[in-house]
Amino acid sequence: MKWDDVSLVILAVFGCVTLLLTQISEVLSRLPQVIRAWRQVRQELRGGTDSGGRGHSASATCPGTLAADRSDEEGHTSSEPEAGRGD
């Protein structure tokens, strides 16, 4: 085995290790969000109607509700008409 081959193998191994560590870091940084979502799913399956607990409101943690969807619930307060309204 030549030194060129050895150096290429070493570079490839370090590249794979770097990629693996980066992916592990990304997974660990998202872990709290995954745990929160799992707890919410379990709560919904139990039929709980708790407002979120621990300082979270139900509307802030509901993944199906967008901020734009909430404007209809709260009433339209801007001076411009909404798109699709015939005002």
Side-chain angles (χ1 to χ4, degrees):
M1 190 174 223
K2 296 181 182 178
W3 284 108
D4 292 340
D5 296 335
V6 172
S7 62
L8 286 177
V9 168
I10 290 172
L11 283 173
V13 167
F14 277 113
C16 289
V17 168
T18 303
L19 182 62
L20 179 66
L21 291 176
T22 303
Q23 293 300 315
I24 289 172
S25 172
E26 287 293 320
V27 168
L28 290 178
S29 70
R30 294 172 196 238
L31 193 60
Q33 294 173 337
V34 170
I35 291 171
R36 250 183 256 119
W38 177 245
R39 287 180 181 165
Q40 184 179 2
V41 166
R42 285 181 35 205
Q43 177 184 354
E44 291 294 325
L45 289 175
R46 282 192 311 249
T49 57
D50 187 22
S51 64
R54 294 187 186 176
H56 297 290
S57 67
S59 61
T61 59
C62 182
T65 304
L66 300 174
D69 293 340
R70 293 188 43 81
S71 65
D72 294 337
E73 296 173 9
E74 297 170 355
H76 182 67
T77 58
S78 80
S79 61
E80 299 177 11
E82 288 183 15
R85 272 187 153 173
D87 292 342

XYZ file of all heavy atoms in Angstrom:
651
model
N 0.845 -1.173 0.000
C 0.000 0.000 0.000
C 0.894 1.241 0.000
O 1.786 1.370 0.832
C -0.900 -0.032 1.232
C -1.984 0.982 1.232
S -3.075 0.746 2.649
C -4.626 0.958 1.870
N 0.624 2.135 -0.921
C 1.432 3.346 -1.044
C 0.936 4.415 -0.070
O -0.172 4.350 0.448
C 1.351 3.874 -2.468
C 1.943 2.927 -3.484
C 1.838 3.531 -4.860
C 2.376 2.556 -5.883
N 2.252 3.075 -7.234
N 1.799 5.422 0.132
C 1.443 6.510 1.034
C 0.262 7.317 0.514
O -0.506 7.875 1.306
C 2.650 7.424 1.259
C 3.640 6.808 2.194
C 4.856 6.293 1.881
C 3.474 6.618 3.596
N 5.486 5.793 2.990
C 4.643 5.986 4.068
C 2.463 6.900 4.502
C 4.822 5.645 5.394
C 2.648 6.570 5.829
C 3.812 5.949 6.260
N 0.114 7.393 -0.788
C -1.039 8.103 -1.363
C -2.345 7.426 -0.951
O -3.317 8.104 -0.582
C -0.944 8.148 -2.891
C 0.194 9.025 -3.389
O 0.660 9.883 -2.599
O 0.592 8.857 -4.545
N -2.350 6.111 -1.006
C -3.550 5.373 -0.621
C -3.855 5.531 0.872
O -5.006 5.706 1.272
C -3.397 3.886 -0.957
C -3.276 3.636 -2.455
O -3.776 4.490 -3.231
O -2.693 2.603 -2.835
N -2.804 5.499 1.672
C -2.975 5.643 3.121
C -3.538 7.020 3.453
O -4.466 7.162 4.261
C -1.634 5.407 3.851
C -1.748 5.757 5.330
C -1.170 3.978 3.664
N -2.997 8.049 2.821
C -3.479 9.401 3.098
C -4.929 9.587 2.641
O -5.719 10.259 3.308
C -2.573 10.450 2.467
O -2.568 10.320 1.065
N -5.305 8.978 1.516
C -6.693 9.057 1.051
C -7.643 8.332 2.011
O -8.746 8.804 2.290
C -6.825 8.482 -0.356
C -6.276 9.354 -1.474
C -6.390 8.632 -2.826
C -7.025 10.673 -1.530
N -7.220 7.195 2.531
C -8.042 6.454 3.492
C -8.217 7.281 4.768
O -9.316 7.375 5.318
C -7.427 5.074 3.781
C -8.091 4.428 4.986
C -7.542 4.175 2.567
N -7.140 7.890 5.236
C -7.223 8.714 6.448
C -8.163 9.896 6.227
O -9.001 10.209 7.082
C -5.811 9.185 6.878
C -5.009 7.989 7.387
C -5.894 10.272 7.944
C -3.545 8.306 7.659
N -8.049 10.567 5.091
C -8.949 11.683 4.787
C -10.404 11.220 4.712
O -11.312 11.909 5.199
C -8.536 12.351 3.477
C -7.324 13.268 3.543
C -6.937 13.722 2.139
C -7.628 14.460 4.423
N -10.644 10.079 4.104
C -12.009 9.562 3.994
C -12.579 9.223 5.366
O -13.742 9.518 5.667
C -12.028 8.330 3.091
N -11.760 8.611 6.221
C -12.221 8.254 7.566
C -12.553 9.514 8.359
O -13.606 9.591 9.014
C -11.165 7.388 8.289
C -11.473 7.277 9.771
C -11.088 6.015 7.654
N -11.686 10.510 8.322
C -11.962 11.746 9.051
C -13.188 12.466 8.487
O -13.958 13.072 9.239
C -10.741 12.670 9.045
C -9.744 12.324 10.099
C -8.492 11.846 9.757
C -10.062 12.472 11.445
C -7.566 11.524 10.731
C -9.136 12.147 12.427
C -7.889 11.669 12.073
N -13.378 12.410 7.193
C -14.583 13.005 6.598
C -15.841 12.310 7.078
O -16.838 12.958 7.416
N -15.819 10.982 7.141
C -16.984 10.226 7.621
C -17.247 10.493 9.100
O -18.397 10.639 9.517
C -16.776 8.736 7.378
S -16.869 8.270 5.642
N -16.182 10.582 9.885
C -16.351 10.872 11.316
C -16.930 12.265 11.509
O -17.828 12.473 12.334
C -15.000 10.718 12.061
C -15.070 11.277 13.475
C -14.592 9.259 12.094
N -16.464 13.233 10.750
C -16.996 14.595 10.833
C -18.470 14.630 10.457
O -19.281 15.276 11.128
C -16.194 15.538 9.915
O -14.827 15.493 10.290
C -16.709 16.961 10.009
N -18.825 13.944 9.400
C -20.223 13.882 8.979
C -21.090 13.217 10.037
O -22.182 13.700 10.366
C -20.332 13.117 7.660
C -21.726 12.995 7.051
C -22.279 14.365 6.717
C -21.679 12.129 5.816
N -20.612 12.137 10.617
C -21.351 11.438 11.659
C -21.556 12.325 12.888
O -22.662 12.413 13.430
C -20.607 10.160 12.050
C -21.242 9.319 13.151
C -22.572 8.729 12.675
C -20.303 8.230 13.593
N -20.514 13.023 13.317
C -20.629 13.899 14.478
C -21.578 15.070 14.211
O -22.327 15.489 15.101
C -19.252 14.419 14.890
C -18.312 13.370 15.490
C -16.949 13.988 15.757
C -18.902 12.778 16.756
N -21.572 15.585 12.995
C -22.491 16.661 12.642
C -23.938 16.178 12.693
O -24.812 16.871 13.222
C -22.177 17.190 11.229
O -20.813 17.617 11.197
C -23.070 18.340 10.849
N -24.187 15.000 12.178
C -25.548 14.458 12.203
C -26.013 14.172 13.631
O -27.161 14.441 13.980
C -25.619 13.179 11.359
C -25.417 13.412 9.882
C -26.472 14.341 9.312
O -27.649 14.211 9.588
N -26.036 15.309 8.525
N -25.139 13.654 14.462
C -25.486 13.396 15.859
C -25.813 14.709 16.564
O -26.771 14.799 17.338
C -24.347 12.634 16.567
C -24.286 11.208 16.041
C -24.534 12.649 18.078
C -23.083 10.423 16.536
N -25.046 15.742 16.287
C -25.290 17.053 16.884
C -26.659 17.599 16.478
O -27.386 18.155 17.306
C -24.185 18.022 16.453
O -24.487 19.320 16.851
N -27.024 17.447 15.212
C -28.330 17.910 14.741
C -29.471 17.157 15.415
O -30.464 17.742 15.822
C -28.437 17.755 13.215
C -27.625 18.749 12.450
C -28.132 20.165 12.608
O -29.360 20.375 12.625
O -27.286 21.058 12.739
N -29.328 15.858 15.540
C -30.366 15.053 16.187
C -30.525 15.454 17.644
O -31.635 15.636 18.147
C -30.053 13.546 16.052
C -30.941 12.722 16.951
C -30.205 13.103 14.604
N -29.414 15.623 18.340
C -29.474 15.993 19.749
C -30.036 17.396 19.953
O -30.704 17.658 20.951
C -28.094 15.883 20.392
C -27.570 14.460 20.561
C -26.171 14.493 21.154
C -28.504 13.626 21.428
N -29.799 18.304 19.012
C -30.339 19.656 19.157
C -31.854 19.681 18.949
O -32.538 20.550 19.476
C -29.664 20.611 18.177
O -30.051 20.332 16.852
N -32.397 18.741 18.207
C -33.849 18.685 17.975
C -34.577 17.769 18.949
O -35.801 17.699 18.929
C -34.120 18.225 16.543
C -33.641 19.222 15.530
C -33.726 18.671 14.137
N -32.926 19.484 13.252
C -33.408 20.095 12.202
N -34.665 19.965 11.903
N -32.627 20.820 11.448
N -33.849 17.082 19.780
C -34.452 16.128 20.699
C -35.500 16.747 21.633
O -36.564 16.155 21.825
C -33.363 15.410 21.486
C -33.792 14.185 22.263
C -34.369 13.127 21.341
C -32.610 13.613 23.025
N -35.280 17.926 22.212
C -36.326 18.508 23.064
C -37.648 18.755 22.326
O -38.726 18.527 22.879
C -35.713 19.823 23.543
C -34.253 19.610 23.451
C -34.049 18.705 22.277
N -37.577 19.181 21.069
C -38.794 19.386 20.281
C -39.509 18.068 20.039
O -40.739 17.997 20.090
C -38.465 20.039 18.940
C -37.943 21.439 19.059
C -37.468 21.971 17.718
O -37.144 21.200 16.812
N -37.425 23.281 17.595
N -38.756 17.022 19.775
C -39.350 15.709 19.529
C -40.025 15.197 20.797
O -41.150 14.672 20.746
C -38.274 14.708 19.036
C -38.807 13.295 18.996
C -37.761 15.124 17.673
N -39.385 15.386 21.943
C -39.977 14.934 23.202
C -41.255 15.701 23.494
O -42.265 15.122 23.891
C -38.955 15.085 24.348
C -37.821 14.077 24.154
C -39.614 14.894 25.709
C -36.659 14.275 25.101
N -41.242 17.034 23.270
C -42.443 17.839 23.480
C -43.585 17.384 22.573
O -44.731 17.259 22.997
C -42.132 19.307 23.215
C -42.149 20.133 24.465
C -41.903 21.604 24.158
N -40.532 21.897 24.547
C -39.579 22.321 23.733
N -39.833 22.548 22.476
N -38.377 22.540 24.177
N -43.261 17.120 21.313
C -44.290 16.674 20.368
C -44.832 15.308 20.768
O -46.043 15.058 20.676
C -43.713 16.625 18.955
N -43.968 14.413 21.226
C -44.415 13.083 21.655
C -45.336 13.189 22.862
O -46.347 12.511 22.943
C -43.217 12.199 21.963
C -43.613 10.857 22.484
C -43.373 10.366 23.718
C -44.352 9.846 21.801
N -43.896 9.112 23.839
C -44.509 8.761 22.677
C -44.893 9.755 20.523
C -45.197 7.618 22.312
C -45.562 8.598 20.173
C -45.712 7.551 21.055
N -45.000 14.059 23.810
C -45.868 14.250 24.974
C -47.227 14.798 24.565
O -48.253 14.418 25.112
C -45.206 15.191 25.981
C -44.073 14.539 26.719
C -43.443 15.490 27.697
N -42.335 14.845 28.398
C -41.434 15.491 29.083
N -41.486 16.808 29.179
N -40.464 14.836 29.685
N -47.225 15.706 23.595
C -48.489 16.267 23.118
C -49.335 15.191 22.430
O -50.548 15.136 22.617
C -48.233 17.418 22.158
C -49.504 18.094 21.711
C -49.224 19.257 20.784
O -48.085 19.540 20.450
N -50.265 19.926 20.366
N -48.703 14.328 21.653
C -49.431 13.238 20.993
C -50.039 12.309 22.035
O -51.215 11.938 21.938
C -48.493 12.458 20.035
C -49.104 11.144 19.619
C -48.164 13.308 18.828
N -49.253 11.951 23.050
C -49.781 11.080 24.104
C -50.944 11.740 24.836
O -51.933 11.090 25.156
C -48.662 10.731 25.092
C -47.705 9.723 24.522
C -46.597 9.324 25.464
N -46.982 9.276 26.858
C -46.140 9.416 27.870
N -44.876 9.623 27.623
N -46.559 9.343 29.101
N -50.827 13.045 25.073
C -51.897 13.765 25.749
C -53.165 13.774 24.884
O -54.268 13.577 25.386
C -51.448 15.196 26.040
C -52.524 16.037 26.685
C -52.062 17.473 26.857
O -50.910 17.796 26.596
N -52.944 18.323 27.293
N -53.014 14.000 23.603
C -54.169 14.008 22.708
C -54.805 12.620 22.619
O -56.027 12.504 22.535
C -53.766 14.483 21.310
C -53.386 15.944 21.255
C -54.554 16.859 21.547
O -55.695 16.530 21.163
O -54.322 17.904 22.174
N -53.990 11.579 22.624
C -54.535 10.228 22.575
C -55.294 9.882 23.850
O -56.259 9.112 23.815
C -53.422 9.212 22.334
C -52.809 9.237 20.929
C -51.638 8.281 20.852
C -53.846 8.905 19.886
N -54.860 10.437 24.978
C -55.578 10.226 26.233
C -56.856 11.044 26.288
O -57.680 10.854 27.165
C -54.702 10.624 27.417
C -53.661 9.606 27.783
C -53.047 9.931 29.124
N -52.641 11.323 29.217
C -51.391 11.759 29.266
N -50.408 10.894 29.219
N -51.108 13.032 29.364
N -57.015 11.976 25.372
C -58.205 12.819 25.350
C -58.085 14.016 26.261
O -59.081 14.605 26.646
N -56.872 14.385 26.597
C -56.654 15.517 27.487
C -56.967 16.829 26.793
O -56.772 16.986 25.593
N -57.502 17.775 27.560
C -57.792 19.098 27.018
C -57.003 20.154 27.750
O -57.389 21.305 27.817
C -59.298 19.413 27.139
O -59.671 19.303 28.520
C -60.113 18.476 26.297
N -55.876 19.774 28.346
C -55.018 20.705 29.064
C -54.508 21.761 28.089
O -54.284 21.491 26.919
C -53.849 19.935 29.676
C -53.000 20.803 30.576
O -53.517 21.836 31.043
O -51.841 20.439 30.811
N -54.302 22.959 28.570
C -53.897 24.054 27.692
C -52.406 24.040 27.376
O -51.871 25.024 26.904
C -54.280 25.390 28.320
O -53.568 25.579 29.518
N -51.724 22.979 27.650
C -50.320 22.874 27.271
C -49.408 22.710 28.455
O -48.466 21.968 28.408
N -49.665 23.398 29.537
C -48.842 23.271 30.730
C -47.450 23.821 30.535
O -46.993 24.050 29.427
N -46.761 24.080 31.635
C -45.385 24.570 31.633
C -45.203 25.824 30.796
O -44.225 25.972 30.077
C -44.414 23.493 31.176
C -44.335 22.333 32.122
C -43.255 21.403 31.715
N -43.295 20.216 32.560
C -42.531 19.195 32.391
N -41.665 19.166 31.426
N -42.623 18.157 33.179
N -46.190 26.706 30.827
C -46.038 27.984 30.133
C -46.340 27.949 28.654
O -46.153 28.938 27.975
N -46.791 26.849 28.135
C -47.115 26.764 26.715
C -48.624 26.844 26.546
O -49.365 26.160 27.223
C -46.640 25.437 26.099
C -45.163 25.276 26.140
N -44.314 26.028 25.374
C -44.379 24.448 26.866
C -43.081 25.669 25.628
N -43.083 24.713 26.525
N -49.061 27.681 25.609
C -50.484 27.704 25.326
C -50.789 26.662 24.267
O -49.926 26.269 23.495
C -50.907 29.095 24.826
O -50.330 29.362 23.571
N -52.034 26.215 24.208
C -52.407 25.156 23.266
C -52.253 25.627 21.830
O -51.864 24.877 20.949
C -53.843 24.709 23.527
N -52.544 26.911 21.554
C -52.449 27.399 20.184
C -51.000 27.503 19.729
O -50.707 27.350 18.556
C -53.129 28.755 20.061
O -52.486 29.688 20.913
N -50.073 27.746 20.655
C -48.670 27.878 20.270
C -48.047 26.530 19.949
O -47.109 26.454 19.186
C -47.881 28.556 21.387
N -48.572 25.448 20.534
C -47.963 24.147 20.302
C -48.739 23.306 19.304
O -48.320 22.219 18.990
C -47.856 23.368 21.625
O -49.164 23.211 22.178
C -46.947 24.088 22.601
N -49.843 23.795 18.831
C -50.642 23.030 17.872
C -49.975 23.097 16.503
O -49.903 24.164 15.907
C -52.055 23.583 17.797
S -53.108 22.658 16.674
N -49.460 21.972 15.986
C -48.720 22.026 14.726
C -49.588 22.305 13.511
O -49.094 22.733 12.501
C -48.078 20.639 14.631
C -48.910 19.771 15.487
C -49.473 20.639 16.568
N -50.906 22.112 13.611
C -51.774 22.332 12.461
C -52.271 23.754 12.335
O -52.913 24.111 11.363
N -52.009 24.597 13.308
C -52.507 25.957 13.282
C -51.405 26.900 12.848
O -50.342 26.939 13.442
C -52.998 26.376 14.687
O -53.973 25.451 15.113
C -53.580 27.767 14.665
N -51.666 27.654 11.814
C -50.719 28.636 11.341
C -51.092 30.007 11.882
O -52.237 30.251 12.247
C -50.709 28.685 9.814
C -50.322 27.391 9.112
C -50.499 27.544 7.618
C -48.897 27.022 9.429
N -50.137 30.889 11.929
C -50.412 32.237 12.415
C -51.446 32.930 11.530
O -52.267 33.697 12.001
C -49.122 33.040 12.462
N -51.423 32.656 10.235
C -52.387 33.272 9.327
C -53.795 32.756 9.591
O -54.775 33.478 9.410
C -52.000 32.993 7.882
N -53.927 31.490 10.018
C -55.236 30.928 10.314
C -55.844 31.567 11.555
O -57.047 31.677 11.676
C -55.147 29.419 10.533
C -54.768 28.681 9.264
O -54.947 29.270 8.181
O -54.285 27.544 9.369
N -55.026 32.000 12.482
C -55.511 32.566 13.725
C -56.101 33.955 13.523
O -56.838 34.443 14.353
C -54.389 32.603 14.763
C -53.975 31.214 15.176
C -53.010 31.227 16.330
N -53.313 32.147 17.401
C -54.199 31.917 18.380
N -54.871 30.806 18.400
N -54.373 32.801 19.325
N -55.811 34.627 12.417
C -56.346 35.972 12.199
C -57.857 35.945 12.060
O -58.541 36.888 12.421
C -55.704 36.604 10.964
O -56.080 35.882 9.807
N -58.413 34.837 11.550
C -59.863 34.726 11.436
C -60.511 34.583 12.804
O -61.592 35.084 13.045
C -60.242 33.520 10.566
C -59.805 33.706 9.119
O -59.633 34.874 8.703
O -59.640 32.689 8.427
N -59.837 33.872 13.734
C -60.376 33.681 15.068
C -60.361 34.968 15.862
O -61.274 35.273 16.600
C -59.552 32.628 15.825
C -59.604 31.257 15.213
C -58.636 30.310 15.893
O -58.062 30.698 16.939
O -58.450 29.198 15.392
N -59.305 35.760 15.730
C -59.138 36.951 16.536
C -59.820 38.157 15.919
O -59.920 39.196 16.534
C -57.637 37.227 16.709
C -56.925 36.125 17.450
C -55.426 36.300 17.400
O -54.961 37.238 16.708
O -54.711 35.514 18.026
N -60.272 38.043 14.711
C -60.882 39.177 14.024
C -59.834 39.933 13.241
O -58.698 40.053 13.660
N -60.227 40.457 12.105
C -59.304 41.170 11.237
C -59.226 42.606 11.724
O -60.214 43.314 11.759
C -59.811 41.085 9.796
C -58.903 41.739 8.814
N -57.657 41.247 8.539
C -59.045 42.840 8.052
C -57.078 42.007 7.638
N -57.898 42.995 7.340
N -58.016 43.048 12.111
C -57.877 44.373 12.698
C -57.103 45.345 11.834
O -57.073 46.523 12.144
C -57.174 44.284 14.067
O -55.913 43.660 13.885
C -58.007 43.483 15.046
N -56.490 44.907 10.766
C -55.720 45.852 9.952
C -56.656 46.675 9.091
O -57.814 46.326 8.855
C -54.691 45.123 9.083
O -55.301 44.589 7.952
N -56.158 47.778 8.590
C -56.993 48.673 7.770
C -57.123 48.166 6.349
O -57.984 48.641 5.606
C -56.406 50.084 7.782
O -55.088 50.036 7.234
N -56.278 47.220 5.941
C -56.351 46.682 4.582
C -57.298 45.496 4.548
O -57.327 44.688 5.472
C -54.966 46.227 4.125
C -53.961 47.339 4.086
C -52.585 46.823 3.705
O -52.478 45.661 3.291
O -51.626 47.604 3.829
N -58.080 45.351 3.468
C -58.974 44.187 3.374
C -58.178 42.909 3.152
O -57.098 42.947 2.559
C -59.848 44.506 2.155
C -59.070 45.504 1.384
C -58.213 46.275 2.348
N -58.709 41.808 3.638
C -58.043 40.527 3.449
C -58.217 40.073 2.014
O -59.179 40.404 1.342
C -58.641 39.468 4.372
C -58.285 39.656 5.811
C -58.837 38.541 6.657
O -59.242 37.505 6.102
O -58.850 38.686 7.886
N -57.273 39.289 1.544
C -57.361 38.728 0.202
C -58.544 37.775 0.138
O -58.765 36.973 1.032
C -56.077 37.999 -0.160
N -59.323 37.887 -0.900
C -60.464 36.995 -1.062
C -61.743 37.541 -0.452
O -62.816 37.018 -0.676
N -61.642 38.583 0.312
C -62.848 39.225 0.862
C -63.330 40.277 -0.117
O -62.568 41.038 -0.643
C -62.528 39.908 2.189
C -62.649 39.043 3.370
C -62.477 39.929 4.577
N -63.180 39.369 5.708
C -63.101 39.855 6.912
N -62.370 40.919 7.135
N -63.749 39.326 7.899
N -64.568 40.362 -0.281
C -65.134 41.322 -1.217
C -65.537 42.620 -0.549
O -66.546 43.205 -0.891
N -64.769 43.138 0.418
C -65.122 44.356 1.155
C -64.999 45.574 0.284
O -64.093 45.961 -0.254
C -64.245 44.521 2.406
C -64.568 43.446 3.426
O -65.632 42.826 3.332
O -63.715 43.225 4.323
